[in-house]
Amino acid sequence: MAQVLPAESGLRRVIGDGDTMPDGTVTGLEDDDLLELYRQLVLVRTYDERSLVYHRQGRIGTYAMYWGHEAMQVGAAYALDREDWIFPSYRESAIGLLRGMEASTVLSWWRGHPAGWWNPREFGVASLCVPIATQVPHAAGFAWGKRLRGQRACALVFFGDGATSEGAFHEGANFAAVMRAPLVLFCSNNQWAISTPLDAQTAASALVDKAVGYGMPGVRVDGTDVLAVYEATAEAVERARAGDGPTFLEAVIYRCAPHGTADDPSAYIDAVRVEEERRNECVGRFEHYLRRRGLLADELVAQMRDEALDVMRQAIAAAEAEPAPDPDELFEHAYADPPPGLRDG
Ligand SMILES: Cc1ncc(C[n+]2csc(CCOP(=O)(O)OP(=O)(O)O)c2C)c(N)n1
Ligand SMILES: [Mg+2]
Protein backbone atom coordinates (compact mmCIF):
# COMPACT_ATOMS: atom_id res chain seq x y z
CA MET A 1 0.00 0.00 0.00
CA ALA A 2 1.36 3.43 -0.91
CA GLN A 3 2.28 5.71 1.96
CA VAL A 4 0.93 9.10 1.02
CA LEU A 5 1.68 12.33 2.81
CA PRO A 6 -1.03 14.97 2.85
CA ALA A 7 -0.73 16.81 -0.47
CA GLU A 8 1.35 19.98 -0.46
CA SER A 9 -1.10 22.84 -0.17
CA GLY A 10 1.18 25.89 -0.58
CA LEU A 11 1.82 27.11 -4.11
CA ARG A 12 5.33 26.34 -5.32
CA ARG A 13 7.08 29.32 -6.87
CA VAL A 14 10.55 29.92 -8.33
CA ILE A 15 10.19 33.32 -10.03
CA GLY A 16 10.23 36.25 -7.61
CA ASP A 17 8.53 39.62 -7.97
CA GLY A 18 11.63 41.75 -8.48
CA ASP A 19 11.00 43.30 -5.07
CA THR A 20 10.49 41.53 -1.74
CA MET A 21 10.12 38.00 -3.12
CA PRO A 22 13.55 36.78 -4.34
CA ASP A 23 14.12 34.83 -7.55
CA GLY A 24 15.08 31.17 -7.29
CA THR A 25 16.76 28.85 -9.76
CA VAL A 26 16.01 25.34 -10.99
CA THR A 27 18.64 22.62 -11.09
CA GLY A 28 19.21 21.22 -14.55
CA LEU A 29 18.20 24.33 -16.48
CA GLU A 30 21.12 26.15 -18.14
CA ASP A 31 20.92 29.65 -19.62
CA ASP A 32 20.19 28.14 -23.04
CA ASP A 33 17.25 26.22 -21.60
CA LEU A 34 15.86 29.40 -20.06
CA LEU A 35 16.01 31.20 -23.41
CA GLU A 36 14.45 28.21 -25.17
CA LEU A 37 11.60 28.22 -22.63
CA TYR A 38 11.07 31.91 -23.38
CA ARG A 39 11.11 31.29 -27.15
CA GLN A 40 8.47 28.59 -26.73
CA LEU A 41 6.32 30.85 -24.55
CA VAL A 42 6.46 33.58 -27.19
CA LEU A 43 5.60 31.09 -29.93
CA VAL A 44 2.50 29.68 -28.24
CA ARG A 45 1.38 33.13 -27.02
CA THR A 46 1.67 34.44 -30.57
CA TYR A 47 -0.24 31.41 -31.90
CA ASP A 48 -3.06 32.19 -29.46
CA GLU A 49 -3.23 35.93 -30.11
CA ARG A 50 -3.13 35.52 -33.89
CA SER A 51 -5.79 32.80 -33.74
CA LEU A 52 -8.19 35.19 -32.08
CA VAL A 53 -7.62 37.66 -34.93
CA TYR A 54 -8.09 34.92 -37.54
CA HIS A 55 -11.35 33.93 -35.85
CA ARG A 56 -12.57 37.55 -35.96
CA GLN A 57 -11.65 37.63 -39.64
CA GLY A 58 -13.66 34.47 -40.28
CA ARG A 59 -10.58 32.45 -41.19
CA ILE A 60 -10.88 29.82 -38.43
CA GLY A 61 -13.98 28.53 -36.62
CA THR A 62 -14.81 28.59 -32.91
CA TYR A 63 -11.58 28.78 -30.95
CA ALA A 64 -10.70 28.00 -27.32
CA MET A 65 -8.05 30.56 -26.43
CA TYR A 66 -5.45 29.70 -23.81
CA TRP A 67 -4.07 33.18 -23.11
CA GLY A 68 -2.40 32.95 -19.66
CA HIS A 69 -2.08 29.13 -19.76
CA GLU A 70 1.22 29.16 -21.68
CA ALA A 71 3.57 28.64 -18.72
CA MET A 72 1.65 25.51 -17.68
CA GLN A 73 1.88 24.07 -21.18
CA VAL A 74 5.49 25.01 -21.94
CA GLY A 75 6.85 24.24 -18.46
CA ALA A 76 5.19 20.81 -18.35
CA ALA A 77 6.13 19.81 -21.92
CA TYR A 78 9.75 20.86 -21.38
CA ALA A 79 10.07 18.38 -18.51
CA LEU A 80 9.24 15.49 -20.84
CA ASP A 81 11.47 13.59 -23.23
CA ARG A 82 10.50 13.23 -26.86
CA GLU A 83 9.43 9.59 -26.30
CA ASP A 84 6.89 10.65 -23.65
CA TRP A 85 3.33 11.24 -24.78
CA ILE A 86 1.09 14.24 -24.18
CA PHE A 87 -2.70 13.84 -23.95
CA PRO A 88 -4.21 17.32 -24.48
CA SER A 89 -7.67 18.81 -24.13
CA TYR A 90 -8.96 21.52 -26.50
CA ARG A 91 -7.23 24.07 -24.20
CA GLU A 92 -3.81 22.74 -25.24
CA SER A 93 -4.60 22.65 -28.97
CA ALA A 94 -1.24 24.12 -30.01
CA ILE A 95 0.93 21.94 -27.74
CA GLY A 96 2.15 20.07 -30.86
CA LEU A 97 4.09 23.20 -31.86
CA LEU A 98 6.47 22.35 -29.04
CA ARG A 99 7.09 18.97 -30.72
CA GLY A 100 7.67 20.30 -34.23
CA MET A 101 4.09 20.17 -35.52
CA GLU A 102 3.32 22.77 -38.20
CA ALA A 103 1.15 25.65 -36.96
CA SER A 104 -0.90 25.24 -40.17
CA THR A 105 -1.95 21.76 -38.95
CA VAL A 106 -3.42 23.21 -35.75
CA LEU A 107 -5.09 26.06 -37.64
CA SER A 108 -6.60 23.47 -40.00
CA TRP A 109 -8.00 21.62 -36.97
CA TRP A 110 -9.85 24.77 -35.93
CA ARG A 111 -10.97 25.24 -39.53
CA GLY A 112 -12.55 21.77 -39.36
CA HIS A 113 -10.33 20.63 -42.22
CA PRO A 114 -8.85 17.09 -42.41
CA ALA A 115 -5.39 18.64 -42.83
CA GLY A 116 -5.76 19.29 -39.10
CA TRP A 117 -5.66 15.57 -38.27
CA TRP A 118 -2.21 14.44 -37.25
CA ASN A 119 -0.75 11.04 -36.58
CA PRO A 120 -0.27 10.89 -32.78
CA ARG A 121 2.76 8.62 -33.19
CA GLU A 122 4.59 11.24 -35.22
CA PHE A 123 4.63 13.80 -32.40
CA GLY A 124 3.79 11.82 -29.27
CA VAL A 125 0.73 14.04 -29.03
CA ALA A 126 -2.67 12.33 -28.81
CA SER A 127 -5.79 13.78 -30.46
CA LEU A 128 -7.36 16.77 -28.75
CA CYS A 129 -10.23 15.74 -26.47
CA VAL A 130 -13.27 17.99 -26.41
CA PRO A 131 -15.44 15.69 -24.24
CA ILE A 132 -14.30 16.72 -20.78
CA ALA A 133 -11.84 14.37 -18.99
CA THR A 134 -12.09 11.53 -21.53
CA GLN A 135 -8.37 11.86 -22.24
CA VAL A 136 -7.54 10.89 -18.63
CA PRO A 137 -8.38 7.17 -18.97
CA HIS A 138 -6.80 7.18 -22.45
CA ALA A 139 -3.55 8.42 -20.92
CA ALA A 140 -3.76 6.04 -17.96
CA GLY A 141 -4.18 3.07 -20.28
CA PHE A 142 -1.36 4.24 -22.51
CA ALA A 143 0.99 4.70 -19.55
CA TRP A 144 0.07 1.31 -18.11
CA GLY A 145 0.86 -0.23 -21.51
CA LYS A 146 4.32 1.35 -21.43
CA ARG A 147 4.91 -0.16 -17.99
CA LEU A 148 3.71 -3.61 -19.08
CA ARG A 149 6.14 -3.51 -21.99
CA GLY A 150 8.99 -2.41 -19.73
CA GLN A 151 9.49 0.76 -21.75
CA ARG A 152 10.84 3.97 -20.26
CA ALA A 153 8.30 6.42 -21.67
CA CYS A 154 5.62 8.03 -19.54
CA ALA A 155 2.50 10.06 -20.31
CA LEU A 156 1.26 13.46 -19.22
CA VAL A 157 -2.41 14.34 -19.40
CA PHE A 158 -3.77 17.90 -19.28
CA PHE A 159 -7.27 18.57 -17.98
CA GLY A 160 -9.11 21.44 -16.29
CA ASP A 161 -10.58 22.05 -12.85
CA GLY A 162 -14.05 21.21 -14.20
CA ALA A 163 -12.77 17.85 -15.43
CA THR A 164 -12.11 16.73 -11.85
CA SER A 165 -15.90 16.41 -11.38
CA GLU A 166 -16.20 13.88 -14.21
CA GLY A 167 -16.34 10.12 -13.79
CA ALA A 168 -13.67 9.69 -16.46
CA PHE A 169 -11.20 11.65 -14.33
CA HIS A 170 -11.88 9.42 -11.33
CA GLU A 171 -11.62 6.22 -13.35
CA GLY A 172 -8.36 7.28 -14.98
CA ALA A 173 -6.75 8.56 -11.78
CA ASN A 174 -7.77 5.53 -9.74
CA PHE A 175 -6.69 3.07 -12.41
CA ALA A 176 -3.31 4.77 -12.89
CA ALA A 177 -2.62 4.72 -9.14
CA VAL A 178 -3.62 1.07 -8.66
CA MET A 179 -1.56 -0.01 -11.68
CA ARG A 180 1.34 2.32 -10.79
CA ALA A 181 1.15 3.65 -14.32
CA PRO A 182 3.88 6.16 -15.26
CA LEU A 183 1.47 9.07 -15.61
CA VAL A 184 1.51 12.76 -14.72
CA LEU A 185 -2.00 14.07 -14.10
CA PHE A 186 -1.72 17.79 -14.86
CA CYS A 187 -4.70 19.85 -13.74
CA SER A 188 -4.73 23.34 -15.27
CA ASN A 189 -6.88 24.96 -12.62
CA ASN A 190 -7.99 28.27 -14.15
CA GLN A 191 -10.79 28.46 -11.56
CA TRP A 192 -13.60 28.38 -14.14
CA ALA A 193 -15.44 25.73 -16.12
CA ILE A 194 -17.08 28.07 -18.62
CA SER A 195 -19.23 30.10 -16.17
CA THR A 196 -19.02 27.69 -13.21
CA PRO A 197 -16.57 28.98 -10.58
CA LEU A 198 -14.32 26.63 -8.64
CA ASP A 199 -16.32 26.95 -5.41
CA ALA A 200 -19.40 25.63 -7.21
CA GLN A 201 -17.31 22.83 -8.74
CA THR A 202 -15.93 21.27 -5.58
CA ALA A 203 -16.25 21.36 -1.81
CA ALA A 204 -12.55 20.48 -1.48
CA SER A 205 -10.42 23.37 -0.22
CA ALA A 206 -7.83 22.55 -2.90
CA LEU A 207 -8.05 20.21 -5.89
CA VAL A 208 -4.62 18.81 -5.01
CA ASP A 209 -6.19 17.22 -1.93
CA LYS A 210 -7.84 14.68 -4.23
CA ALA A 211 -4.41 13.08 -4.71
CA VAL A 212 -4.48 11.64 -1.18
CA GLY A 213 -7.68 9.72 -1.87
CA TYR A 214 -6.10 8.03 -4.87
CA GLY A 215 -2.94 7.17 -2.96
CA MET A 216 -0.64 9.34 -5.03
CA PRO A 217 1.53 12.38 -4.27
CA GLY A 218 0.01 15.77 -5.02
CA VAL A 219 1.85 19.02 -5.70
CA ARG A 220 0.37 22.49 -6.05
CA VAL A 221 2.16 25.02 -8.13
CA ASP A 222 1.78 28.60 -9.34
CA GLY A 223 0.68 28.14 -12.95
CA THR A 224 2.01 31.55 -13.99
CA ASP A 225 5.55 30.45 -13.04
CA VAL A 226 7.06 28.44 -15.88
CA LEU A 227 10.05 27.40 -13.77
CA ALA A 228 7.97 26.10 -10.88
CA VAL A 229 5.79 24.17 -13.35
CA TYR A 230 8.87 22.68 -15.01
CA GLU A 231 10.40 21.66 -11.69
CA ALA A 232 7.25 20.03 -10.31
CA THR A 233 6.66 18.17 -13.58
CA ALA A 234 10.29 17.01 -13.78
CA GLU A 235 9.97 15.51 -10.28
CA ALA A 236 6.73 13.77 -11.22
CA VAL A 237 8.36 12.36 -14.38
CA GLU A 238 11.26 11.06 -12.31
CA ARG A 239 8.82 9.25 -9.99
CA ALA A 240 6.97 7.81 -12.98
CA ARG A 241 10.19 6.48 -14.56
CA ALA A 242 11.33 5.03 -11.23
CA GLY A 243 8.18 2.86 -11.13
CA ASP A 244 6.60 4.90 -8.33
CA GLY A 245 3.38 5.55 -10.26
CA PRO A 246 1.38 8.68 -11.00
CA THR A 247 1.48 12.18 -9.50
CA PHE A 248 -1.31 14.74 -9.39
CA LEU A 249 -0.14 18.27 -10.21
CA GLU A 250 -2.47 21.19 -9.66
CA ALA A 251 -1.28 24.34 -11.41
CA VAL A 252 -3.28 27.38 -10.36
CA ILE A 253 -4.01 30.47 -12.45
CA TYR A 254 -7.05 32.70 -12.89
CA ARG A 255 -8.66 32.64 -16.33
CA CYS A 256 -8.17 36.10 -17.86
CA ALA A 257 -9.74 35.46 -21.25
CA PRO A 258 -13.15 34.16 -22.31
CA HIS A 259 -13.74 30.39 -22.22
CA GLY A 260 -13.83 30.45 -26.00
CA THR A 261 -14.81 32.69 -28.88
CA ALA A 262 -18.51 31.88 -28.33
CA ASP A 263 -18.44 33.04 -24.69
CA ASP A 264 -19.13 36.45 -23.14
CA PRO A 265 -17.60 36.33 -19.65
CA SER A 266 -18.75 39.87 -18.79
CA ALA A 267 -22.01 38.17 -17.76
CA TYR A 268 -20.32 36.34 -14.85
CA ILE A 269 -16.64 37.20 -14.29
CA ASP A 270 -15.06 39.78 -11.98
CA ALA A 271 -13.56 42.33 -14.40
CA VAL A 272 -11.39 43.98 -11.73
CA ARG A 273 -9.80 40.64 -10.80
CA VAL A 274 -9.16 39.90 -14.49
CA GLU A 275 -7.35 43.23 -14.90
CA GLU A 276 -5.24 42.50 -11.83
CA GLU A 277 -4.35 38.99 -12.99
CA ARG A 278 -3.49 40.12 -16.51
CA ARG A 279 -0.77 42.34 -15.03
CA ASN A 280 0.84 39.18 -13.62
CA GLU A 281 0.59 37.07 -16.78
CA CYS A 282 3.12 34.31 -17.31
CA VAL A 283 5.08 35.42 -20.38
CA GLY A 284 5.78 38.88 -18.95
CA ARG A 285 6.70 37.40 -15.57
CA PHE A 286 9.33 35.17 -17.13
CA GLU A 287 10.58 37.97 -19.36
CA HIS A 288 11.21 40.18 -16.29
CA TYR A 289 13.00 37.28 -14.60
CA LEU A 290 15.32 36.80 -17.57
CA ARG A 291 16.01 40.53 -17.75
CA ARG A 292 16.86 40.60 -14.03
CA ARG A 293 19.32 37.78 -14.73
CA GLY A 294 20.83 39.74 -17.62
CA LEU A 295 19.86 37.06 -20.17
CA LEU A 296 17.39 38.99 -22.26
CA ALA A 297 17.52 42.36 -23.98
CA ASP A 298 15.04 44.24 -26.20
CA GLU A 299 16.66 43.07 -29.41
CA LEU A 300 16.25 39.36 -28.65
CA VAL A 301 12.67 39.86 -27.48
CA ALA A 302 11.82 41.64 -30.74
CA GLN A 303 13.57 38.95 -32.77
CA MET A 304 11.68 36.09 -31.10
CA ARG A 305 8.34 37.88 -31.51
CA ASP A 306 9.04 38.55 -35.21
CA GLU A 307 9.98 34.91 -35.78
CA ALA A 308 6.75 33.74 -34.14
CA LEU A 309 4.66 36.19 -36.17
CA ASP A 310 6.32 34.93 -39.30
CA VAL A 311 5.46 31.33 -38.39
CA MET A 312 1.82 32.37 -38.06
CA ARG A 313 1.70 34.35 -41.32
CA GLN A 314 3.01 31.36 -43.23
CA ALA A 315 0.77 28.96 -41.32
CA ILE A 316 -2.51 30.72 -42.05
CA ALA A 317 -1.53 31.06 -45.71
CA ALA A 318 -0.76 27.32 -45.87
CA ALA A 319 -4.01 26.38 -44.09
CA GLU A 320 -6.05 28.56 -46.46
CA ALA A 321 -4.27 27.08 -49.49
CA GLU A 322 -5.54 23.57 -48.62
CA PRO A 323 -8.03 22.35 -51.23
CA ALA A 324 -11.63 21.97 -50.03
CA PRO A 325 -12.02 18.60 -48.31
CA ASP A 326 -14.03 15.72 -49.71
CA PRO A 327 -17.17 15.42 -47.49
CA ASP A 328 -16.88 11.60 -47.64
CA GLU A 329 -13.72 11.85 -45.53
CA LEU A 330 -15.91 12.77 -42.58
CA PHE A 331 -17.27 9.22 -42.50
CA GLU A 332 -14.23 7.33 -43.71
CA HIS A 333 -12.77 6.69 -40.26
CA ALA A 334 -16.08 6.64 -38.41
CA TYR A 335 -17.76 3.50 -39.80
CA ALA A 336 -16.54 0.14 -41.06
CA ASP A 337 -20.07 -0.35 -42.41
CA PRO A 338 -21.90 2.94 -42.87
CA PRO A 339 -25.55 2.78 -41.78
CA PRO A 340 -27.88 2.52 -44.79
CA GLY A 341 -29.29 6.02 -44.28
CA LEU A 342 -25.81 7.51 -44.68
CA ARG A 343 -24.68 5.19 -47.45
CA ASP A 344 -27.66 6.00 -49.64
CA GLY A 345 -27.80 9.73 -48.76
C1 LIG B 1 -18.48 15.46 -21.18
C2 LIG B 1 -18.66 16.91 -21.46
N1 LIG B 1 -19.57 17.61 -20.76
C3 LIG B 1 -19.76 18.93 -20.99
C4 LIG B 1 -19.03 19.56 -21.96
C5 LIG B 1 -19.22 21.05 -22.23
N2 LIG B 1 -18.05 21.81 -21.78
C6 LIG B 1 -17.13 22.26 -22.65
S1 LIG B 1 -15.88 23.06 -21.90
C7 LIG B 1 -16.53 22.81 -20.36
C8 LIG B 1 -15.86 23.33 -19.13
C9 LIG B 1 -14.62 22.58 -18.75
O1 LIG B 1 -13.95 23.26 -17.73
P1 LIG B 1 -12.52 22.84 -17.26
O2 LIG B 1 -12.42 21.37 -17.13
O3 LIG B 1 -12.20 23.64 -16.05
O4 LIG B 1 -11.57 23.26 -18.47
P2 LIG B 1 -11.28 24.74 -19.05
O5 LIG B 1 -12.27 24.94 -20.17
O6 LIG B 1 -11.44 25.72 -17.96
O7 LIG B 1 -9.89 24.66 -19.58
C10 LIG B 1 -17.74 22.12 -20.47
C11 LIG B 1 -18.59 21.75 -19.32
C12 LIG B 1 -18.10 18.79 -22.69
N3 LIG B 1 -17.33 19.33 -23.64
N4 LIG B 1 -17.93 17.48 -22.43
MG1 LIG C 1 -11.19 25.45 -15.90
Side-chain angles (χ1 to χ4, degrees):
M1 194 67 66
Q3 281 295 311
V4 177
L5 298 171
E8 286 181 26
S9 56
L11 282 187
R12 282 209 203 174
R13 291 197 178 90
V14 175
I15 301 177
D17 60 1
D19 187 16
T20 48
M21 198 196 338
D23 286 326
T25 52
V26 174
T27 330
L29 290 181
E30 306 297 328
D31 290 353
D32 282 354
D33 293 305
L34 298 177
L35 287 176
E36 176 57 16
L37 280 169
Y38 182 68
R39 190 193 66 77
Q40 294 188 3
L41 285 170
V42 169
L43 176 65
V44 290
R45 167 66 56 87
T46 307
Y47 178 94
D48 187 68
E49 291 183 342
R50 292 312 298 163
S51 290
L52 195 55
V53 174
Y54 299 151
H55 170 78
R56 298 268 192 271
Q57 294 172 337
R59 302 165 88 181
I60 63 170
T62 302
Y63 174 65
M65 57 286 269
Y66 54 77
W67 200 96
H69 290 62
E70 296 89 343
M72 300 191 286
Q73 301 178 6
V74 168
Y78 206 73
L80 299 174
D81 284 346
R82 183 60 187 74
E83 65 186 337
D84 301 324
W85 275 51
I86 299 171
F87 288 75
S89 79
Y90 52 87
R91 192 67 71 199
E92 293 81 30
S93 65
I95 199 93
L97 266 55
L98 307 178
R99 290 266 173 106
M101 188 184 291
E102 296 286 343
S104 59
T105 303
V106 191
L107 289 172
S108 288
W109 193 91
W110 289 105
R111 283 165 62 80
H113 192 288
W117 303 341
W118 61 84
N119 180 350
R121 279 182 203 275
E122 193 179 343
F123 304 101
V125 177
S127 304
L128 307 180
C129 271
V130 178
I132 304 302
T134 50
Q135 69 276 23
V136 181
H138 299 169
F142 176 93
W144 184 41
K146 289 286 171 193
R147 182 174 154 84
L148 286 176
R149 291 179 178 184
Q151 294 173 352
R152 179 178 175 273
C154 64
L156 182 142
V157 57
F158 287 107
F159 53 91
D161 43 303
T164 63
S165 299
E166 289 283 348
F169 162 76
H170 164 73
E171 289 150 19
N174 187 56
F175 189 87
V178 171
M179 298 303 181
R180 293 181 92 77
L183 178 66
V184 183
L185 292 135
F186 194 104
C187 179
S188 303
N189 176 5
N190 62 11
Q191 309 194 46
W192 291 95
I194 315 185
S195 55
T196 302
L198 189 63
D199 61 5
Q201 190 69 249
T202 180
S205 60
L207 291 175
V208 73
D209 290 340
K210 292 178 188 281
V212 183
Y214 293 111
M216 66 175 83
V219 177
R220 200 159 188 250
V221 59
D222 178 344
T224 70
D225 183 334
V226 68
L227 297 180
V229 170
Y230 166 83
E231 187 182 56
T233 312
E235 287 173 17
V237 167
E238 207 177 300
R239 268 195 292 277
R241 293 209 204 289
D244 294 336
T247 301
F248 183 91
L249 298 182
E250 178 193 357
V252 186
I253 65 159
Y254 187 84
R255 206 189 76 209
C256 300
H259 168 74
T261 48
D263 175 40
D264 173 11
S266 67
Y268 59 85
I269 217 163
D270 174 355
V272 177
R273 172 91 191 261
V274 168
E275 262 325 296
E276 236 174 71
E277 298 282 343
R278 283 182 85 92
R279 279 197 290 275
N280 194 36
E281 57 80 27
C282 60
V283 183
R285 258 191 93 185
F286 191 50
E287 184 178 321
H288 292 311
Y289 172 88
L290 293 176
R291 286 179 188 270
R292 288 195 292 274
R293 291 195 52 172
L295 291 173
L296 199 62
D298 293 349
E299 204 178 311
L300 193 53
V301 173
Q303 186 192 323
M304 288 190 189
R305 286 189 189 157
D306 284 349
E307 277 170 16
L309 279 170
D310 217 39
V311 166
M312 294 311 296
R313 269 187 223 109
Q314 291 182 28
I316 191 70
E320 288 180 326
E322 288 289 342
D326 174 358
D328 283 349
E329 271 194 80
L330 200 59
F331 305 104
E332 198 177 307
H333 302 287
Y335 299 103
D337 298 311
L342 262 182
R343 206 173 41 223
D344 305 337

